[in-house]
Amino acid sequence: MSELSITRADCLARDAQDPLAPLRERFDLPPDLIYLDGNSLGARPRAALERAQQVVAREWGRDLITSWNTAGWFDMPKRLGERLGPLIGAAPGEVAVTDTTSLNLFKALAAAVHMQAQAQPARRVIVTERSNFPTDIYMAEGLTEWLERGYRVRLVDSVDELPAAIDADCAVVMLTHVNYRTGYQHDMAMLTRHAHQNGALIVWDLAHSAGAVPVDLNAAEADFAVGCTYKYLNGGPGSPAFIWVPQRHQATFSHPLTGWWSHAQPFAMAHGFAPADGIGRALCGTQPVVSLALVECGLEVFEETSMEAIRAKSLALTDLFIELVETTCADHPLGLVTPRDHARRGSQVSFTHPHGYAVMAALIARGVIGDYREPEIMRFGFTPLYTRYVDVWDAVAILKDILDREDYDVAAERGAVT
Ligand SMILES: *Cc1c(COP(=O)(O)O)cnc(C)c1O
């Protein structure tokens, strides 16, 4: 076994010097729990409890329907979009927080396909990766099958095959920036340029990027983007997602989910649909107000730091985790799936183990929460806003103990959600 370059005391010292350390206080985390699953469900900002009480007791309970105006409910999708925008390189007026990632992806894909049908109707292929998150592929397949006009989805098996798959038949490229399973991060600027040079539009899914890694959609000249707020943005379970439509595409952006909230004058109750100007046309119907309101509590925390500071700590945490696992657990059949190359890494680390599910269940039983993804992958998410260096140390010590003593139950039953 090679020598460790660091001790637990060093980790505590790094926490003491960490400029982000005070932000941990903005979250309410159970003591004695090491939470490495912020990539699936972010921790609860302390402010969310009071905000929930305010929305439910005062805005709903006392002010009732007047709150659409007096409490700013109606404007919330756009107001939250303004706060989220800087995290992904969006300009003002380009982001709405609304609906789910699946639905927003459908809208963005439909808009992109429609734009291409006007400009280059022979292009009928949506290119994506077979390793993409299933809902993204399902939504693309659902759209193409329902169009029944020869549209289809082309699944690419490796990153190396992507450039060639973006050919003269390709209308739209749909990629998830950071892969949910491996933590691989695409080169957004390069692939966007490549798609455009080959006549395709590109839609980016930022589910594992927003709040996790720096993203600059406008610098990359991307076409559309969507993403979750309940992962690294800490918006709460099932909180509404976001959609980005850049200024240059807003006039031509159209989708089939033309509900009254995307109407130019929703309360005119007019016959016939007329789309709102700007990002408003990306909405559909009435928003889940209580859930939406809590998104703000997650976004507020980001305004006290920068994505550069978050990224620096994310890389330090993931580097430390990889080093500690590879050094202290070297005798065990663990395989690193996440890229070592910083430029290609998101804010998670995935290791395979033949009994990955059972080992993860044992970790969770001992207060280290990560999750499991087929096949064999143990996934650990690192959220620099609240994860400490000493958490990384302690999590690996527990992992090592479980593996050394084979203290996991291979026959254990699985829950519905892994
Ligand atoms: C988490 C995630 C989703 C989730 O979509 P929902 O509509 O919120 O269920 C979609 N795509 C990707 C890539 C994800 O990681």
Side-chain angles (χ1 to χ4, degrees):
M1 193 194 289
S2 58
E3 280 293 298
L4 272 181
S5 67
I6 187 166
T7 64
R8 190 172 191 276
D10 293 333
C11 291
L12 288 169
R14 285 173 84 169
D15 286 323
Q17 289 160 12
D18 171 17
L20 295 183
L23 294 180
R24 181 176 164 88
E25 283 307 307
R26 303 290 300 272
F27 294 88
D28 198 6
L29 285 155
D32 306 326
L33 192 80
I34 301 177
Y35 193 63
L36 302 179
D37 214 357
N39 51 312
S40 239
L41 174 63
R44 178 172 72 79
R46 279 187 200 280
L49 194 57
E50 200 184 315
R51 182 76 182 104
Q53 263 157 356
Q54 183 188 349
V55 179
V56 174
R58 198 171 78 208
E59 297 175 9
W60 178 21
R62 192 191 70 192
D63 301 338
L64 287 154
I65 199 160
T66 62
S67 286
W68 283 106
N69 290 318
T70 58
W73 287 357
F74 188 72
D75 291 328
M76 234 181 339
K78 290 190 208 171
R79 191 161 42 104
L80 296 178
E82 293 309 286
R83 294 188 90 159
L84 195 157
L87 300 178
I88 55 172
E94 294 186 335
V95 180
V97 178
T98 184
D99 296 338
T100 66
T101 300
S102 303
L103 285 173
N104 288 335
L105 191 62
F106 181 85
K107 294 178 228 171
L109 277 181
V113 163
H114 183 68
M115 283 164 67
Q116 289 288 53
Q118 310 293 310
Q120 313 182 78
R123 292 177 177 264
R124 301 246 166 122
V125 171
I126 296 175
V127 169
T128 191
E129 292 178 283
R130 198 180 299 279
S131 64
N132 201 341
F133 191 84
T135 203
D136 296 45
I137 300 175
Y138 301 156
M139 294 306 289
E141 289 176 342
L143 174 69
T144 52
E145 281 164 27
W146 275 83
L147 280 173
E148 289 182 359
R149 282 191 276 147
Y151 284 93
R152 63 190 182 83
V153 175
R154 178 182 294 159
L155 298 176
V156 177
D157 283 306
S158 77
V159 176
D160 301 336
E161 292 169 33
L162 254 180
I166 303 171
D167 61 13
D169 295 331
C170 175
V172 182
V173 183
M174 172 188 82
L175 292 174
T176 296
H177 183 224
V178 174
N179 185 279
Y180 77 103
R181 199 192 269 127
T182 63
Y184 178 92
Q185 180 179 168
H186 281 300
D187 184 337
M188 177 181 284
M190 186 273 281
L191 283 166
T192 300
R193 208 178 315 117
H194 180 81
H196 290 170
Q197 279 164 359
N198 289 277
L201 294 172
I202 191 160
V203 179
W204 287 100
D205 187 331
L206 305 178
H208 291 272
S209 307
V213 299
V215 174
D216 197 337
L217 290 164
N218 272 314
E221 296 182 37
D223 295 298
F224 302 105
V226 302
C228 300
T229 65
Y230 54 75
K231 293 173 179 167
Y232 291 94
L233 295 176
N234 310 311
S239 59
F242 64 87
I243 179 164
W244 172 75
V245 180
Q247 295 285 352
R248 72 180 199 282
H249 286 330
Q250 287 185 353
T252 43
F253 179 81
S254 71
H255 62 83
L257 305 181
T258 47
W260 68 313
W261 279 57
S262 55
H263 196 283
Q265 291 180 294
F267 289 92
M269 304 293 174
H271 294 291
F273 181 77
D277 283 337
I279 192 66
R281 66 174 59 186
L283 303 180
C284 181
T286 307
Q287 310 299 311
V289 169
V290 179
S291 185
L292 194 54
L294 305 189
V295 172
E296 196 145 34
C297 304
L299 294 176
E300 276 165 6
V301 183
F302 285 90
E303 288 165 11
E304 291 173 41
T305 179
S306 66
M307 282 312 302
E308 286 62 41
I310 288 172
R311 179 61 170 166
K313 185 175 172 191
S314 162
L315 288 171
L317 291 169
T318 51
D319 275 344
L320 176 64
F321 184 76
I322 292 170
E323 183 199 335
L324 291 177
V325 171
E326 291 191 330
T327 315
T328 66
C329 306
D331 300 339
H332 299 286
L334 290 164
L336 178 67
V337 177
T338 302
R340 286 179 205 279
D341 176 5
H342 284 179
R344 300 279 70 83
R345 188 190 303 166
S347 197
Q348 71 178 65
V349 177
S350 299
F351 277 100
T352 53
H353 185 281
H355 299 300
Y357 183 84
V359 175
M360 182 53 74
L363 278 167
I364 292 170
R366 290 184 56 181
V368 178
I369 310 238
D371 60 22
Y372 174 80
R373 288 291 175 264
E374 293 292 345
E376 296 190 354
I377 288 181
M378 297 191 289
R379 189 169 72 151
F380 302 90
F382 296 86
T383 307
L385 295 178
Y386 53 76
T387 307
R388 297 169 298 197
Y389 292 95
V390 75
D391 294 330
V392 174
W393 179 279
D394 291 342
V396 178
I398 293 170
L399 174 65
K400 173 177 159 54
D401 185 62
I402 289 169
L403 293 174
D404 284 352
R405 298 195 296 114
E406 289 188 39
D407 188 15
Y408 49 85
D409 179 3
V410 177
E413 273 196 39
R414 298 190 179 197
V417 175
T418 58

